Amino acid sequence: MQKSASAASLGPGGIDLSQIFFKPTQNTSTPSPTKRHTKISVIGTGNVGMAIAQTILTQDLADELALVDAKADKLRGEMLDLQHAAAFLPRTRILASTDYSATNGSDLCIVTAGARQNPGESRLNLLQRNVEMFQGIIPPLARSSPDTILMIVSNPVDVLTYVAWKLSGFPSNRVIGSGTNLDSSRFRFLIADHLDVNAQDVQAYIVGEHGDSSVALWSSISVGGVPVLSFLEKQQIPYEKEALERIHKAVVESADEVISLKGYTSWAIGYSAANLARSLLRDQRKIHPVSVLANGFYGIAGDVFLSLPAMLGRGGVLGVTNVHLTDEEAQRLRNSARTISEVQSQLGL
Amino acid sequence: MQKSASASSLGPGGLDLSNIFFKPIQNTSPPSPTKRHTKISVIGVGNVGMAIAQTILTQDLADEIALVDAQPAKLRGEMLDLQHAAAFLPRTKIIASTDYSATVGSDLCIVSAGARQIAGESRLNLLQRNVALFRGIIPPLAKYSPGTILMIVSNPVDVLTYVAWKLSGFPSNRVVGSGTNLDSSRFRFLIADHLDVNAQDVQASIIGEHGDSSVALWSSISVGGVPILSFLEKQQIPYEKETLEGIHKAVVDSAYEVISLKGYTSWAIGYSAANLARSILRDQRKIHPVSVLAKGFYGIDDGDVFLSLPALLGRGGVLGVTNVNLTDEEAQRLRKSAQTILKVQSQLGL
């Protein structure tokens, strides 16, 4: 494994102990290439990118972590800040470069880079700026790691995942968007907090657009295996459709609430992306609501990416779960798909 | 365990399923109080405080985390951003308040509140601002958790650990500063990176002031148990004292370098503090260079001063200081470091 250039001598104009401190045994051959060497690249070292990178590091998900950004100083500072923790972590190689060659041989590339919305700017205009940015990001990533899995986090995630798919030329199982994985976690948190139960015992999906037209799958929510709505009906407990819609709305507004309070979100999306990375790279075959090519599911026609409950593993998207949707849920999902397609069609890709 | 107020109904004006979804079994008594309920409070939700809190959460070191800060909106935002990850983490209760009563019953209180070190500003320049702040922080912490361990991270850490000790009235084993734990990690990283070996196989301490007058214990550095300087001498490899000083300086400058590049440091200190938290709360009896009451060690007799020494940490806090063999020069530098700190401390009138 190559040392960083600065380590060639210990200290400025310093001592070189590297050849003498450790002696190889007799008759060695060069070290076997490590068969399992997991490399993750994170593009964009803003709050989101760094929360993702740091969580991946703490959770020991990779042997090598590459950071790429356009701002060289910030990038180097973030790399050093992670490297300085070496004594407290399992050994992970951390590198950083403004050049995409640093991402060579990545098993997973996570893209968080994106323009921030200017005051008064239309969503479409913001989108067009991000598409341009992706034209400088996706092709080099695909060249440097032709077999990698691309995970898009930048917003609007569904459209940008479609863009990444088009620009990379990858098969659709290797391009996903973080989608509603986090919305679903927030949803599960709300329900779990109310019932004072562990959030991991709450199965609840939000699917569709990661945005205003997302769809809460009320008919599929269960706690410890007990479907919530049927439970209410059996117990003859009345509930109003509006109450459910308000809960869903609270989830959709969660991100805006955090942004209005602390200026941005970072930790939760960091955990969400690391969670997806783990399912993919450790071949966990777990089901996550993430943005996938939805063409052909639930009556959705046309190339559009939106979140569906998908089984993820080392091969990327292994399949979409055949969840039973009510007619209304399926209709809302198709509306969500149309919302996204409308925007996409203006991009000329 | 109490639910958050907002969870009493599901959604605004919403459903209350809480009493019907789970039915208790017959003849129960109220739940036994959990004997092992570890609570950590983090004071200050800036970049450092949040890196510490988030690392503690990811590493599953606590059952309950309380966040305290003066800015309520930022505080609430940070709390929500951690809570929203509930589906991805073991269940940890996360609370936040501008009121110190939220810290009641803490096993460990980590204080990161303080003005940020500006590029080029020495740690000592921050001092006056931070002492005033501590008068509003330490007494309430001590009041609400009289048995807690206080860990100070705010800079200048050695003086502020002394201040915290004075203001809390705690015995000295329960007041510790993050000190040179991170400097030592940076030192070990440099050596490990050069030798292409795991940093955990490099034993190397920087002690004394967490600042310009820190002392690198060259005579005690070993890799896989092999003392480096004796190794060089046995191999008849010449080295210059200036080279060693250059390496030490690179470590001291590390923080300033990161600050000039990204504006502040966060991740490394987060891991460092979480590492200390783990040794303390899990009674690991591990040796860490942290800021402790140094009076009586290595000829430091002039007054009550806190500076980093290799200390054995466990559930009781500072269990002891390792009796490292210092060269005469290292001991002299350490005493000078103590004097530097005492000079500043004496101006505080505590």
Side-chain angles (χ1 to χ4, degrees):
Chain A
M1 247 163 148
Q2 282 186 335
K3 287 202 290 270
S4 54
S6 62
S9 69
L10 189 56
I15 315 169
D16 185 357
L17 304 176
S18 52
Q19 304 302 319
I20 46 166
F21 210 88
F22 296 105
K23 276 197 169 356
T25 54
Q26 300 273 347
N27 288 105
T28 60
S29 60
T30 40
S32 316
T34 322
K35 284 209 163 68
R36 181 186 147 186
H37 178 86
T38 305
K39 177 171 178 173
I40 300 179
S41 290
V42 177
I43 315 305
T45 54
N47 295 309
V48 171
M50 286 314 297
I52 293 174
Q54 188 260 19
T55 306
I56 281 170
L57 185 62
T58 316
Q59 294 184 336
D60 198 22
L61 296 177
D63 301 297
E64 184 173 343
L65 185 61
L67 305 174
V68 178
D69 198 287
K71 296 148 104 174
D73 280 355
K74 163 81 162 155
L75 185 59
R76 179 172 166 75
E78 293 292 0
M79 177 193 75
L80 289 174
D81 208 5
L82 293 181
Q83 287 178 333
H84 289 165
F88 310 124
L89 290 164
R91 187 167 183 271
T92 304
R93 183 164 184 231
I94 301 166
L95 50 133
S97 178
T98 52
D99 194 298
Y100 281 86
S101 60
T103 66
N104 273 357
S106 296
D107 298 278
L108 176 65
C109 296
I110 304 175
V111 183
T112 71
R116 214 178 267 183
Q117 198 159 3
N118 291 328
E121 182 178 27
S122 76
R123 204 165 157 260
L124 180 63
N125 206 67
L126 172 66
L127 181 57
Q128 274 158 350
R129 286 199 291 138
N130 279 333
V131 171
E132 259 175 59
M133 198 178 276
F134 268 42
Q135 277 161 350
I137 294 176
I138 305 296
L141 280 180
R143 265 197 311 272
S144 296
S145 312
D147 296 321
T148 197
I149 292 170
L150 283 176
M151 186 197 302
I152 309 305
V153 180
S154 322
N155 274 315
V157 67
D158 303 295
V159 179
L160 288 178
T161 307
Y162 167 83
V163 170
W165 176 58
K166 282 293 198 183
L167 293 177
S168 63
F170 282 2
S172 64
N173 58 296
R174 288 201 281 116
V175 185
I176 59 169
S178 55
T180 55
N181 194 47
L182 177 51
D183 307 51
S184 302
S185 171
R186 289 175 173 137
F187 195 29
R188 293 163 70 190
F189 164 71
L190 278 182
I191 298 168
D193 195 39
H194 173 68
L195 294 174
D196 219 1
V197 73
N198 193 303
Q200 284 157 33
D201 272 332
V202 178
Q203 283 273 352
Y205 293 116
I206 289 182
V207 297
E209 183 202 10
H210 171 62
D212 297 340
S213 74
S214 64
V215 184
L217 296 186
W218 286 102
S219 63
S220 307
I221 295 175
S222 60
V223 178
V226 179
V228 175
L229 289 194
S230 340
F231 171 81
L232 292 177
E233 278 148 28
K234 287 199 181 97
Q235 298 284 321
Q236 295 179 320
I237 292 160
Y239 64 90
E240 287 171 10
K241 205 162 141 236
E242 285 71 28
L244 302 187
E245 274 161 32
R246 277 195 298 269
I247 295 164
H248 178 216
K249 193 168 184 296
V251 175
V252 169
E253 287 170 357
S254 287
D256 285 337
E257 183 182 11
V258 175
I259 292 170
S260 73
L261 292 167
K262 63 173 264 195
Y264 55 91
T265 83
S266 58
W267 309 123
I269 184 65
Y271 286 115
S272 172
N275 176 248
L276 295 173
R278 189 172 200 280
S279 285
L280 291 164
L281 297 173
R282 298 295 309 279
D283 200 26
Q284 294 295 291
R285 302 180 75 87
K286 280 182 105 157
I287 301 164
H288 297 268
V290 286
S291 196
V292 296
L293 181 61
N295 192 350
F297 295 101
Y298 306 108
I300 295 165
D303 287 338
V304 65
F305 278 71
L306 49 74
S307 289
L308 293 173
M311 183 167 63
L312 301 183
R314 189 59 187 87
V317 183
L318 307 175
V320 170
T321 322
N322 195 0
V323 176
H324 180 248
L325 301 191
T326 61
D327 290 338
E328 180 178 354
E329 288 168 344
Q331 185 54 43
R332 287 192 185 205
L333 194 59
R334 285 188 291 272
N335 289 347
S336 200
R338 253 195 307 273
T339 306
I340 301 167
S341 290
E342 249 154 35
V343 176
Q344 246 173 233
S345 60
Q346 297 165 53
L347 293 178
L349 269 170
Chain B
M1 246 164 150
Q2 281 185 333
K3 286 203 291 270
S4 52
S6 61
S8 54
S9 71
L10 187 56
L15 303 163
D16 184 358
L17 306 178
S18 50
N19 294 312
I20 47 166
F21 211 88
F22 295 103
K23 278 199 169 353
I25 49 178
Q26 302 274 346
N27 287 106
T28 61
S29 60
S32 316
T34 322
K35 284 211 163 65
R36 181 186 147 185
H37 177 87
T38 305
K39 177 169 177 175
I40 300 179
S41 290
V42 177
I43 316 306
V45 297
N47 295 308
V48 171
M50 286 313 298
I52 293 172
Q54 188 260 17
T55 305
I56 281 169
L57 184 61
T58 316
Q59 294 184 336
D60 198 22
L61 297 177
D63 301 296
E64 185 173 347
I65 296 175
L67 306 174
V68 178
D69 195 285
Q71 301 168 61
K74 163 83 163 152
L75 185 60
R76 178 172 166 77
E78 293 292 359
M79 177 193 74
L80 289 174
D81 207 6
L82 293 181
Q83 288 178 335
H84 288 165
F88 310 125
L89 290 165
R91 188 167 182 270
T92 304
K93 186 177 185 203
I94 302 167
I95 70 177
S97 178
T98 51
D99 194 298
Y100 281 84
S101 58
T103 66
V104 70
S106 296
D107 298 279
L108 175 66
C109 296
I110 304 176
V111 182
S112 71
R116 196 188 284 181
Q117 190 173 356
I118 302 156
E121 182 183 23
S122 84
R123 291 174 179 114
L124 289 177
N125 289 344
L126 295 173
L127 182 57
Q128 291 297 353
R129 293 192 274 166
N130 284 334
V131 172
L133 208 71
F134 269 42
R135 289 185 191 277
I137 294 176
I138 305 297
L141 281 180
K143 184 177 86 184
Y144 285 110
S145 310
T148 197
I149 291 170
L150 284 174
M151 184 196 304
I152 309 306
V153 180
S154 322
N155 273 316
V157 67
D158 304 295
V159 179
L160 289 178
T161 307
Y162 167 83
V163 170
W165 176 57
K166 281 294 197 182
L167 294 177
S168 63
F170 281 3
S172 63
N173 59 295
R174 290 201 282 115
V175 185
V176 73
S178 55
T180 55
N181 194 46
L182 177 51
D183 307 50
S184 301
S185 171
R186 288 175 174 138
F187 194 28
R188 293 162 69 188
F189 164 70
L190 277 182
I191 298 168
D193 194 41
H194 173 66
L195 294 174
D196 218 0
V197 73
N198 194 304
Q200 283 158 33
D201 273 331
V202 177
Q203 283 274 353
S205 294
I206 288 182
I207 60 173
E209 182 203 7
H210 171 61
D212 297 342
S213 75
S214 64
V215 183
L217 295 184
W218 286 101
S219 63
S220 307
I221 296 174
S222 60
V223 177
V226 178
I228 283 196
L229 290 193
S230 340
F231 173 82
L232 292 176
E233 279 148 30
K234 287 202 184 91
Q235 299 283 323
Q236 294 178 321
I237 293 161
Y239 63 90
E240 288 171 9
K241 205 164 141 235
E242 285 69 28
T243 306
L244 302 186
E245 276 161 29
I247 297 164
H248 178 216
K249 190 168 185 303
V251 175
V252 170
D253 289 345
S254 286
Y256 298 120
E257 184 182 11
V258 176
I259 292 169
S260 73
L261 292 169
K262 64 173 264 194
Y264 55 91
T265 83
S266 58
W267 309 124
I269 184 64
Y271 286 115
S272 172
N275 177 245
L276 296 173
R278 188 172 201 281
S279 284
I280 292 168
L281 295 172
R282 299 294 309 280
D283 200 25
Q284 293 295 291
R285 302 181 74 88
K286 281 183 104 159
I287 301 164
H288 297 268
V290 286
S291 196
V292 297
L293 181 60
K295 184 173 185 181
F297 295 101
Y298 305 108
I300 297 166
D301 294 312
D302 292 344
D304 290 331
V305 64
F306 277 72
L307 50 74
S308 289
L309 294 173
L312 187 72
L313 299 183
R315 190 60 189 84
V318 182
L319 307 174
V321 169
T322 321
N323 194 0
V324 178
N325 183 46
L326 302 189
T327 62
D328 290 337
E329 181 177 355
E330 288 167 346
Q332 183 54 35
R333 287 191 186 206
L334 192 61
R335 284 188 291 272
K336 262 208 222 110
S337 202
Q339 268 146 30
T340 306
I341 302 168
L342 270 166
K343 249 198 309 243
V344 176
Q345 243 174 237
S346 58
Q347 298 163 49
L348 295 177
L350 269 169

